[in-house]
Amino acid sequence: MMGTDHRINIEKLSDEICRSIFNHVAFQERSEDERERLTDIGDKIANKCKGLPLAAKVLGGLMQSKRTREEWDRVLSSELLPQGDFSGDMEFVGEQYLHVLAARSFFQDFETDEDEGMEFKMHDIVHDFAQYMTKNECLTVDVNTLGEATMETSIERVVHLSMMLSEDELFPKSIHKAKGLRQPLDPALETLRLRSCHCLICFKQLTCIRSLNLPWSSIKEIPYEVGKLIHLRHLNLAYCLELESLPETTCDLCNLQSLDVTFCRSLKELPRAIGKLIKLRHLGNDGSGVDFIPKGIERITCLRTLEVFTVCGGGGENESKAANLRELKDLNHIGGSLEIRNLGGGKEDASDAAEAQLKNKKRLLRLELYFNHNQDNGILIEALQPPSDLEYLTIDGYGGLELPNWMMTLTRLQGLKLFDCENLEVLPPLGRLPNLESPGIELVEGEKAPCWIFRYRKR
């Protein structure tokens, strides 16, 4: 028996000290400009912590990755404590979970690359514990654990499968018993090189699959049976260098949320009925051979990621099948990075660009504009005004004489690159933008025109 005759009741922190803890974490390594712009919202968010120090620390950690004022407003308006809705944005919720886990040392060694990609590690002890807790749901199949007896003991209860097989192994027949299989994680790439029938096993038998990851596979086509996987949320085909086509039945995946064909260089077209994928949130097509985005993309209003949009004009063979810039009008959730290629000139293109309303894409942080050296580009670029919170801008092949008037509204711009803009006669007073350094001039290999590079001004 233990007891005490003297107890100390710990009071809550004052609002001032709570805000101090929140600000110390939330504004770590931020510029003075960001502090000034976000402090008023930050104080209101900190007040929601109700004097709890752990809440202030965790909430401050959450806000470290929030870049735009819109994101801070959303946290302020959400019922974050003790439990929140987060406006129904699953990416926002997922990111919040990630930062809470990071604050509790579940993840560590965070690194962010120049493309805003994030990498982090999990400690071995945490990883071993996670494996122990999920031993009845997750199964790893490799060369050493391929025996039928081993697999039959647990395969019927498996919901997540990782397959790492060599070229000599066949697709295990016992996989057919995994009726509850939802997510084949990193399946063996060599397995799918053998015969397409191995791929068909997934499409015909494992109809509960939610996520199918086939990166770096040498498959040349996806069977039309893919349309039967009606529960599929994520289809990862990144770096399938020999993939030549996607069947139209891909558009029957009514629950698909992400489609990744990054660096599928042999893939020239996306399915024409892509507009049917109204739940699609992420389309990764950077580095692919896809020449255009099909018409109907305007229907996918919940799209968060669209890496490359190529304009098809001038009466080309794909013009009748391709979406034009005006179809971006209602896709206001697009964020991260957007690259627009083959920008022409003239009033018609400028009209489409104006309809696109890029300035309403508040989540857009990086924009790359590739022109065709037309002197009429000046009309077009004015219509391509991005949101004022844009952080990185690249202009390539621009044929106009001067930069657009909206350039000086980009007060958060940290990086500006001007490639092969040989007709430019004068630059605006870019030194007035608070986060840009003085320009550096470099020669791009193989090009005669200089490349002007403006970098982030560190305070």
Side-chain angles (χ1 to χ4, degrees), residues 321-333:
K321 301 180 289 185
N324 54 39
L325 278 171
R326 64 178 61 237
E327 289 206 32
L328 299 180
K329 178 179 180 180
D330 295 325
L331 308 187
N332 289 331
H333 294 297

Side-chain angles (χ1 to χ4, degrees), residues 35 40 122 213 225 231 236 251 260 265 277 298 303 325 340 410-411 448:
R35 284 177 173 269
D40 60 325
M122 179 187 293
N213 299 324
E225 285 89 350
H231 299 292
N236 182 1
C251 301
D260 193 347
R265 295 172 178 169
L277 301 177
E298 61 183 345
L303 199 64
L325 278 171
I340 304 180
L410 306 180
T411 54
K448 296 181 180 180

Side-chain angles (χ1 to χ4, degrees), residues 35-53:
R35 284 177 173 269
E36 294 175 359
R37 189 165 50 83
L38 298 172
T39 294
D40 60 325
I41 305 180
D43 288 345
K44 295 176 182 178
I45 294 176
N47 290 340
K48 300 181 71 173
C49 296
K50 306 296 183 183
L52 302 177

Side-chain angles (χ1 to χ4, degrees), residues 209 411 459:
I209 287 178
T411 54
R459 296 178 180 270

Side-chain angles (χ1 to χ4, degrees), residues 139-141 161-165 171-172 175 185-189 191:
L139 177 65
T140 298
V141 179
L161 172 66
S162 175
M163 298 185 63
M164 294 169 283
L165 310 178
F171 202 95
I175 294 295
L185 298 170
D186 302 325
L189 311 181
T191 300

Side-chain angles (χ1 to χ4, degrees), residues 27 30-42 66-73 388-389 391 411-414 434-435:
F27 291 107
R30 287 183 183 266
S31 67
E32 195 64 32
D33 175 67
E34 287 182 301
R35 284 177 173 269
E36 294 175 359
R37 189 165 50 83
L38 298 172
T39 294
D40 60 325
I41 305 180
K66 307 302 175 192
R67 298 171 175 271
T68 66
R69 191 176 177 92
E70 179 200 23
E71 290 177 306
W72 283 60
D73 278 328
S388 58
D389 280 347
E391 295 184 356
T411 54
R412 295 202 64 198
L413 202 64
Q414 297 181 18
N435 294 316

